[in-house]
Amino acid sequence: MVRERRRIMLTILAIAWATFAISTMLAIGEGLRLNFAKTVANSGNNLLTFKGGHTSIVYLGLPAGRKIYLTKSDYARIANLPNIKHMTPVYSVFAKMRYGDKNLNKEALLVNEQYAKIHNIDLLPGGRFISKLDLLQKRRVIVLGEKTSQDLFPNNPNPIGLYLYFANELYRIIGVMQHKSEMMGRHDNDAMMNWLPSSLHKTFGGFQAIDSIDITYKNADRLVALENWIGRIVARNHGLDPNDENIVHFRDYAVRQENINSFFLGLEVFLGLVGLLTLIVAGVGIANVMFATVNRDTCEIGIKMALGAKRYQIIWPYIKESSFAMLQGGFFGVVLSGALVFLLGLIPLHGKLFEVIGRPKAVLSFGVIVVVILSLGVVGMLAGFFPALKASKIDPARAVSYE
Amino acid sequence: MNLVELKNISKIYKTGAVKFIALEQINLTINKGEYLAILGPSGSGKSTLMHILGCLSTPTSGDYLLNGKNVASLSVNQLAKVRNQNIGFVFQNFNLLANLNIVDNVALPLVYRGIAKEERTKKAKELLTHFGLGGHFSHHANELSGGQQQRVAIARSLITEPDIILADEPTGNLDSKSGDDVIHMLEKLNRDGKTIIIVTHDEKIAERTKQIIRIVDGKIM
């Protein structure tokens, strides 16, 4: 009896360890998935960007391989399409940026007021993004990216209201971007960018083509149709073959987000399976203890059968006992896992890598706990069921005289 | 109507190619209120006959009519129900559950019948009091003498008010005085109308019953 009690205690410990393993693994997987989903979403949700491509079909006597540049006319017609939520033209400019004695080569994007919504850009308190009025009045205002602000104003975290020179023109700083971790940015990371009103693009002279158009769409199911319409509009505006698929280059971020999400979901499932394997080993331990218990109880089972116990009345106590052992071990395991997840969250994550990928934290979410409880329940039931089935098949005539 | 009717009952155990005939063409009729002994030496088949009579095992061939109903080919759960409703067992080793007190031991058959705890406890206590164990309700089996344990077992066999009491060597583990007490108790139960079947190898015990069925090599003599 003492030996069996010790064996059950050890089994409960094994279950606690297995639950700890499965919960922690799933929590780490869940944390990674949520972190990367958020980091990727920071580049923009339902984001589609596109730029001019080149012709790949000979059409109306013109050769293949001609470069296509998006124009204001393209932009205006595309803006009328349904399924577009936000839209901005993007002109890219490289120029010297100067403040005091600091003189840096920086890139600025000339965009409209919707860019901040498209790319999930939040600003430091007191700042704002480019407005419609800025665009209409062609104000010389600039929103700084996080990195530019740090480079130019290392001792001033929020230089709103100050003036700087960009391409030898004076600009007033109206906003500074808040930090965000980001992957798959449109132009490197937004932290490296700066933004000006798109209506100023002519002041930079040179070729006036739109570098790209960034949009967010309303309905992902109609994305293919939207891309087809954009292709047709550009083809018609430029006198190109509408069947030429290369005249516009699309980058669909939702597909990339989905791929990354699928990868981390797969990783989470893998980690969960590793934990489940440990749990199954513990379940086998419980089953062994239960088989030993059934052997010990043979005479008692025979007596109960003789007194009229039906099959389920023999089976149920063993399933209850194994499930209870699972529950006890599972409880300790989840508590331990919760403690570890809490401690892991206290570890500071510094460095360039974490600025890009964010700071992943293990998350013992409701979903993870439900998966753990279900796994424990199923393994516990099975661990008790087979020994119980053996018990219910005992021959009562032999069992009543079993020593 | 006969309470028990065995028609051409045989029980054959097979181990690989080896066959062992434990009972062969047994025909037996037992009426309500009878008090009889199945007598035979060790290995004669008397325990096998008792297991069949108690629905603990089924015959290889033949019919077993209990209250007119053939129970020879019932399912496991149906047999459990028949045992619970129609048969009370008294075993040589008492077969009380060590982890239960004597009230819960006596009440156990009613658990399988789905009777509420309060009712079954009340009934168990009444029976135990009737058998002189009123002061031992909280005791476990190992805290009682052999005679007391067998009285608990008899109380347990009666709690479902069965048609038959099957007693397998009921005095086998008792001293002569306690054994005598148990036999007196069974005789009294018979006088009250219960059908009692004692399975024994002891001629003296058998002679105290109203009818003796002798069994040798699986056949009734």
Side-chain angles (χ1 to χ4, degrees):
Chain A
M1 200 71 173
V2 174
R3 245 173 70 183
E4 192 155 314
R5 202 174 282 264
R6 196 170 57 197
R7 198 154 45 163
I8 285 184
M9 281 307 297
L10 286 173
T11 308
I12 289 173
L13 271 179
I15 295 160
W17 168 248
T19 309
F20 171 73
I22 192 172
S23 314
T24 308
M25 295 252 194
L26 282 174
I28 289 171
E30 178 87 338
L32 283 172
R33 190 175 67 80
L34 291 176
N35 175 72
F36 278 89
K38 184 169 174 267
T39 305
V40 169
N42 278 341
S43 299
N45 281 322
N46 282 0
L47 173 61
L48 177 71
T49 71
F50 56 93
K51 51 172 64 182
H54 59 274
T55 58
S56 58
I57 299 171
V58 176
Y59 186 67
L60 297 176
L62 293 168
R66 284 183 299 143
K67 179 89 180 93
I68 309 300
Y69 297 97
L70 297 177
T71 63
K72 276 185 168 180
S73 166
D74 293 330
Y75 181 85
R77 290 190 177 173
I78 290 166
N80 289 327
L81 288 175
N83 199 22
I84 290 178
K85 196 173 175 189
H86 298 112
M87 181 171 175
T88 180
V90 180
Y91 303 88
S92 172
V93 177
F94 279 92
K96 290 272 184 201
M97 191 176 281
R98 183 158 55 85
Y99 180 80
D101 57 351
K102 289 194 187 300
N103 200 352
L104 306 165
N105 273 319
K106 287 286 176 186
E107 183 182 5
L109 301 179
L110 287 86
V111 297
N112 69 15
E113 80 288 354
Q114 297 191 26
Y115 186 95
K117 283 176 188 159
I118 293 170
H119 287 270
N120 292 334
I121 289 175
D122 290 322
L123 299 168
L124 289 177
R128 65 172 178 85
F129 200 72
I130 293 157
S131 68
K132 280 184 179 173
L133 206 58
D134 295 331
L135 291 159
L136 274 172
Q137 296 184 354
K138 297 184 179 174
R139 290 174 177 170
R140 292 191 185 277
V141 291
I142 187 165
V143 177
L144 297 184
E146 186 191 11
K147 186 77 173 64
T148 304
S149 177
Q150 286 168 0
D151 290 345
L152 283 180
F153 307 98
N155 300 318
N156 183 358
N158 200 352
I160 292 166
L162 299 180
Y163 286 82
L164 56 71
Y165 283 96
F166 183 65
N168 294 321
E169 294 288 345
L170 198 60
Y171 286 84
R172 189 164 64 91
I173 301 167
I174 57 168
V176 177
M177 172 197 165
Q178 267 188 26
H179 172 76
K180 66 169 180 174
S181 54
E182 184 184 14
M183 289 175 74
M184 302 190 328
R186 157 69 178 78
H187 307 271
D188 297 325
N189 284 334
D190 284 325
M192 313 291 286
M193 287 298 131
N194 306 284
W195 298 276
L196 309 174
S198 58
S199 53
L200 294 175
H201 72 277
K202 282 184 182 168
T203 61
F204 289 93
F207 194 55
Q208 296 298 313
I210 298 174
D211 284 306
S212 73
I213 296 173
D214 295 2
I215 64 170
T216 53
Y217 46 86
K218 295 172 193 165
N219 186 350
D221 295 337
R222 290 161 58 196
L223 180 61
V224 175
L226 179 64
E227 290 181 358
N228 285 339
W229 273 109
I230 290 169
R232 277 186 222 171
I233 287 171
V234 173
R236 193 174 57 192
N237 275 359
H238 296 255
L240 307 172
D241 184 348
N243 296 317
D244 191 342
E245 291 182 349
N246 292 317
I247 58 177
V248 180
H249 283 174
F250 292 100
R251 284 178 81 180
D252 176 8
Y253 287 79
V255 171
R256 291 164 181 232
Q257 286 172 10
E258 205 173 298
N259 288 343
I260 287 190
N261 200 40
S262 300
F263 170 77
F264 281 102
L265 197 64
L267 181 70
E268 192 176 349
V269 169
F270 172 74
L271 291 174
L273 284 177
V274 172
L276 186 64
L277 214 64
T278 323
L279 194 63
I280 288 170
V281 172
V284 170
I286 285 211
N288 276 333
V289 172
M290 297 312 293
F291 273 119
T293 308
V294 167
N295 281 339
R296 189 203 62 193
D297 291 351
T298 299
C299 182
E300 188 175 316
I301 292 164
I303 295 165
K304 287 177 177 174
M305 285 176 158
L307 300 179
K310 294 189 181 72
R311 230 174 198 171
Y312 75 89
Q313 288 166 323
I314 297 293
I315 287 175
W316 178 238
Y318 293 100
I319 292 181
K320 208 166 70 177
E321 193 178 333
S322 67
S323 299
F324 187 60
M326 274 284 177
L327 202 70
Q328 283 177 299
F331 174 76
F332 288 121
V334 168
V335 168
L336 276 178
S337 176
L340 183 71
V341 163
F342 175 74
L343 290 176
L344 285 176
L346 296 179
I347 298 173
L349 302 174
H350 296 302
K352 198 113 183 141
L353 175 68
F354 296 114
E355 280 175 20
V356 176
I357 66 166
R359 292 171 173 80
K361 282 185 177 176
V363 179
L364 198 57
S365 65
F366 178 72
V368 166
I369 291 174
V370 166
V371 168
V372 170
I373 288 173
L374 283 178
S375 309
L376 279 171
V378 170
V379 173
M381 293 279 266
L382 287 177
F385 179 73
F386 291 106
L389 198 66
K390 184 188 170 194
S392 75
K393 287 181 176 171
I394 283 174
D395 177 1
R398 290 183 186 202
V400 286
S401 48
Y402 186 86
E403 293 291 334
Chain B
M1 188 171 61
N2 300 319
L3 180 61
V4 168
E5 196 172 353
L6 300 184
K7 292 179 180 174
N8 301 319
I9 290 285
S10 293
K11 181 74 180 180
I12 301 167
Y13 293 105
K14 284 182 187 171
T15 312
V18 181
K19 275 191 348 186
F20 173 73
I21 302 172
L23 293 176
E24 192 176 354
Q25 296 293 313
I26 299 287
N27 289 290
L28 177 66
T29 301
I30 301 170
N31 293 315
K32 197 169 183 333
E34 281 195 24
Y35 180 34
L36 62 90
I38 297 172
L39 181 69
S42 180
S44 60
K46 63 182 186 302
S47 289
T48 305
L49 182 56
M50 189 207 85
H51 291 153
I52 288 172
L53 284 169
C55 295
L56 289 171
S57 73
T58 49
T60 309
S61 63
D63 291 325
Y64 172 13
L65 303 180
L66 180 63
N67 280 328
K69 184 182 172 190
N70 195 344
V71 296
S73 54
L74 294 181
S75 70
V76 172
N77 280 342
Q78 285 170 326
L79 283 174
K81 193 174 175 187
V82 170
R83 285 194 294 270
N84 186 262
Q85 291 183 341
N86 301 96
I87 298 158
F89 289 96
V90 178
F91 297 101
Q92 180 178 354
N93 293 331
F94 325 126
N95 280 350
L96 301 175
L97 301 191
N99 56 336
L100 300 181
N101 64 34
I102 61 169
V103 174
D104 290 338
N105 259 293
V106 172
L108 193 57
L110 296 184
V111 173
Y112 302 129
R113 203 180 269 197
I115 305 293
K117 185 174 172 59
E118 200 175 307
E119 191 183 336
R120 61 182 191 243
T121 303
K122 183 175 167 236
K123 205 166 178 187
K125 283 181 175 174
E126 279 172 9
L127 272 169
L128 285 167
T129 306
H130 177 75
F131 285 110
L133 293 162
H136 299 79
F137 289 158
S138 62
H139 288 183
H140 285 66
N142 60 359
E143 296 169 309
L144 302 177
S145 69
Q148 287 172 319
Q149 287 187 55
Q150 198 60 301
R151 275 189 274 159
V152 175
I154 291 170
R156 182 179 66 186
S157 73
L158 290 169
I159 197 160
T160 55
E161 297 171 15
D163 299 319
I164 311 165
I165 303 290
L166 272 173
D168 183 14
E169 305 278 12
T171 60
N173 276 3
L174 300 176
D175 58 66
S176 57
K177 183 175 180 318
S178 300
D180 204 41
D181 286 346
V182 165
I183 294 299
H184 274 300
M185 240 175 258
L186 294 173
E187 285 167 353
K188 185 174 182 310
L189 286 172
N190 176 248
R191 282 198 297 276
D192 293 344
K194 286 281 172 208
T195 307
I196 312 280
I197 302 172
I198 297 178
V199 177
T200 183
H201 66 278
D202 188 336
E203 288 271 358
K204 287 179 189 169
I205 302 288
E207 280 167 6
R208 291 176 65 167
T209 63
K210 293 174 185 170
Q211 185 189 350
I212 299 175
I213 292 164
R214 292 178 191 275
I215 183 162
V216 179
D217 294 335
K219 294 175 188 166
I220 291 177
M221 293 290 109

